[in-house]
Amino acid sequence: MTPHERWRPVDPCAARSDARCGAMIVGDRMPTMAVFRSTNLDARRDLARRLMIAVAGLCPLTMSAHAQPAGAAPTPPDTVAQAPAGAPGDAAKTAHEQSSTPGATTEAGPGPTSATTAPALDQTHDPKQVVESQQQLVTRTEQQFGKRSRQTAEAYLDLAEAQRRAGDHPAAETSYLAAIEVYHSLEGPFTPLVIEPLTALGDNYRESNDYVSAMTAYNEARTINRHEYGLLNEDQIPLLDRLTDVLLELNKPAEADEHQLEALRIVERSYPPESNEALAAVYKYASWLREQGRFQEERDQYMRALRTVHDHYGKDDVHEVPALLGIGDSFRVQRIPEPQGAGSLHDALQILTMHGSTDKLALAETLRDIGDWEVAFSKVDYEGTEYRRSWAALGEVPDGDKYRKQWFSGPNYVLREPVSLAGLSQEPNAPSGHVIVKFDLDKTGHASNVTIVESDPAGFKDEAVVRHIRRSRFRPQIIDGEPVARESLALQFNYRYSRNAISSEKEKGKAAKE
């Protein structure tokens, strides 16, 4: 089991469990659980976006601003078809990010997880009532415009979305297919009008764990996309990301890697290497390598980006900051206190200070990452100096209170000890299990009073999860600029397990009793 370090906030009333490893982070009191989910799509988006700090946040360039949740999850993190992610600078986003749900902040460790979230349901209406209303609308639209009309196709799409939000995936499949059939009848088999419903159909299949059908739908959408808009058009990148995560669910990491490389090549063939777009694509691929535990290859991508920046912008330019932060965070996520990692983080801070950057969010994130390094590797209890400075810098950032809450409340890993993989399975059809654990956190990031709240199968991974929490380090909670202790935080770990492993555990239990 490989729980991720990023968690995406989800409405507790509408939360769905991840198919693979994930975690649910719970607030101060167990009865009022605030749920978080992780995704690889979010992880890749968050890492590359954060790594674009120098490109999008520090330089007078034209990237669009995007404030993204951090530290609670979010944007996943389980990573993950969404845009890049990385070190600081939540201010950049790529084209394919626009089709995905925003994610969280801390970088994801290796391990596959994927999910695509349906649009938020109107909380003032019962989902079943919404479906009934949409069904009536389909009937009226067919009567007014005919069964073969754009209006009818759109009505079917609205019905499919309502059914999907209500959790009726088979009915949603039927409605998506009905919309696609109408579009085909109107404009032929390669009409671009079917790209959106095919993508949504693939998402619907993924949510019901039908990964093979999801891959078929995404591939068909991508074929039409390439036919209509060209082999190198960037609009296919969200589909490549979705295909990547489906392939991970099917335990095909090599094929998934090919899709991420193809996404990188598409951008590199369209833009010069020093451009915002090309650098963002490099960071996105680096975040993918981190997810797979390929840390040296990840750092090689950052070094490649540094060489490009040196060649085109000169030494000690703010464009270096994303790669420097990526190198530092990579060593920390790998749990290696390499001096090069700490040095890269401090070099990034020095460059920001040297250039007198007015980007307080970039400064706050850099300081936060330095604090994370200290919590992870310092031999003595860290006093929180950089965290205090980060908190203060956020006071000058629009929506700074949001970032303060996302970064400095809830359990955010800064050093994640691995959980034992014994008995776990990567097979997509393997049975799923979970463990909910509750613990206290002191003001230096150490966990104590670790207690299992619930586990299924009972006892199977309890000891492994408890050991994991005790050995991991978390970002201290900050209130009014000062680190504080917190009680009754919780995480939920989701996994898949081998049936044989459960049988072996039962046999061991019987033998122990005898």
Side-chain angles (χ1 to χ4, degrees):
M1 172 169 53
T2 315
H4 295 281
E5 293 186 324
R6 318 178 28 269
W7 320 108
R8 171 149 53 93
V10 175
D11 178 3
C13 300
R16 295 165 298 184
S17 61
D18 283 327
R20 285 181 181 266
C21 303
M24 176 175 69
I25 299 183
V26 182
D28 298 317
R29 300 180 299 277
M30 291 300 294
T32 57
M33 291 186 178
V35 181
F36 291 75
R37 299 173 56 227
S38 67
T39 72
N40 282 352
L41 289 173
D42 287 338
R44 286 193 296 280
R45 175 180 66 182
D46 183 57
L47 182 54
R49 181 172 56 240
R50 292 177 61 226
L51 284 174
M52 281 305 295
I53 176 176
V55 177
L58 300 176
C59 305
L61 302 176
T62 58
M63 300 288 284
S64 58
H66 176 72
Q68 59 114 35
T75 126
D78 322 285
T79 238
V80 212
Q82 302 167 16
D90 298 352
K93 70 178 179 182
T94 62
H96 74 285
E97 172 185 305
Q98 298 169 358
S99 66
S100 309
T101 303
T105 59
T106 54
E107 52 292 298
T113 280
S114 65
T116 307
T117 307
L121 181 65
D122 185 348
Q123 298 298 318
T124 62
H125 294 88
D126 179 10
K128 293 183 178 179
Q129 292 179 349
V130 174
V131 169
E132 292 175 0
S133 175
Q134 292 294 340
Q135 288 172 331
Q136 294 170 8
L137 180 60
V138 168
T139 301
R140 293 196 300 270
T141 303
E142 288 180 334
Q143 292 172 348
Q144 182 175 359
F145 297 99
K147 292 186 176 181
R148 301 298 179 184
S149 66
R150 278 201 181 194
Q151 292 86 348
T152 296
E154 291 168 0
Y156 271 117
L157 283 179
D158 290 339
L159 173 59
E161 289 298 308
Q163 291 165 330
R164 181 175 154 203
R165 295 168 196 165
D168 191 347
H169 297 293
E173 175 190 3
T174 300
S175 298
Y176 282 127
L177 290 172
I180 292 167
E181 182 182 357
V182 173
Y183 283 135
H184 280 160
S185 69
L186 292 172
E187 300 196 14
F190 287 99
T191 172
L193 292 174
V194 302
I195 295 175
E196 178 184 350
L198 279 170
T199 303
L201 176 63
D203 294 344
N204 184 68
Y205 284 133
R206 285 176 63 192
E207 291 167 8
S208 57
N209 299 329
D210 185 354
Y211 302 115
V212 174
S213 295
M215 188 160 57
T216 300
Y218 293 146
N219 275 323
E220 185 175 348
R222 183 171 176 240
T223 297
I224 296 171
N225 170 281
R226 286 155 63 88
H227 180 273
E228 291 297 309
Y229 304 118
L231 299 180
L232 296 180
N233 85 88
E234 295 174 70
D235 289 341
Q236 64 185 296
I237 292 178
L239 292 166
L240 286 168
D241 285 340
R242 281 173 163 85
L243 285 164
T244 294
D245 289 293
V246 168
L247 288 165
L248 287 179
E249 296 290 355
L250 294 172
N251 196 24
K252 297 181 178 180
E255 294 179 39
D257 187 59
E258 281 300 315
H259 281 69
Q260 286 301 298
L261 273 173
E262 186 168 359
L264 174 61
R265 294 187 191 111
I266 287 171
V267 178
E268 288 183 327
R269 290 171 183 171
S270 303
Y271 299 94
E274 74 278 8
S275 66
N276 298 357
E277 293 83 359
L279 289 171
V282 170
Y283 299 142
K284 177 174 176 283
Y285 184 62
S287 72
W288 155 259
L289 294 171
R290 180 183 297 182
E291 287 177 27
Q292 305 311 304
R294 296 157 61 182
F295 297 104
Q296 186 55 57
E297 293 176 73
E298 175 201 6
R299 292 190 285 271
D300 288 344
Q301 294 296 320
Y302 297 138
M303 294 303 298
R304 180 162 77 97
L306 278 177
R307 289 192 295 271
T308 298
V309 170
H310 289 172
D311 290 344
H312 291 274
Y313 299 102
K315 188 173 176 57
D316 294 330
D317 186 88
V318 290
H319 285 82
E320 293 184 25
V321 172
L324 291 170
L325 290 169
I327 291 169
D329 289 344
S330 176
F331 279 115
R332 175 173 57 81
V333 174
Q334 195 179 2
R335 308 188 309 282
I336 297 179
E338 171 64 44
Q340 181 187 353
S344 294
L345 296 175
H346 285 280
D347 287 347
L349 179 60
Q350 182 178 354
I351 289 173
L352 289 174
T353 305
M354 180 191 313
H355 288 269
S357 173
T358 58
D359 190 337
K360 297 300 181 182
L361 178 58
L363 178 63
E365 291 187 273
T366 304
L367 290 165
R368 183 199 64 188
D369 287 354
I370 294 174
D372 288 348
W373 183 279
E374 293 298 325
V375 170
F377 299 122
S378 178
K379 299 299 183 182
V380 297
D381 288 341
Y382 174 56
E383 296 181 354
T385 301
E386 281 76 19
Y387 286 146
R388 292 186 182 90
R389 291 178 61 191
S390 175
W391 179 281
L394 288 174
E396 302 180 53
V397 172
D399 296 326
D401 287 340
K402 179 189 70 174
Y403 287 101
R404 285 172 170 173
K405 182 177 181 181
Q406 291 166 345
W407 294 358
F408 298 113
S409 64
N412 300 304
Y413 286 94
V414 299
L415 184 71
R416 182 167 58 80
E417 286 293 317
V419 180
S420 169
L421 299 176
L424 299 185
S425 174
Q426 294 292 319
E427 294 303 315
N429 295 323
S432 60
H434 71 270
V435 175
I436 299 177
V437 60
K438 183 175 68 172
F439 57 97
D440 299 337
L441 199 63
D442 68 20
K443 62 181 182 179
T444 63
H446 294 74
S448 61
N449 298 326
V450 185
T451 306
I452 298 296
V453 176
E454 176 183 305
S455 61
D456 181 25
F460 177 55
K461 278 295 173 183
D462 292 12
E463 291 184 10
V465 169
V466 168
R467 184 166 54 251
H468 158 78
I469 294 294
R470 286 174 175 165
R471 293 180 178 178
S472 295
R473 294 292 176 266
F474 299 86
R475 188 179 300 148
Q477 313 291 283
I478 308 289
I479 295 180
D480 295 331
E482 291 296 327
V484 298
R486 295 292 292 274
E487 298 180 351
S488 297
L489 297 172
L491 289 170
Q492 175 170 327
F493 297 85
N494 301 318
Y495 54 84
R496 292 174 181 161
Y497 61 89
S498 165
R499 290 183 175 87
N500 292 335
I502 297 299
S503 299
S504 299
E505 286 294 320
K506 290 181 178 178
E507 291 298 326
K508 290 179 182 179
K510 289 180 181 179
K513 290 180 180 179
E514 294 175 357

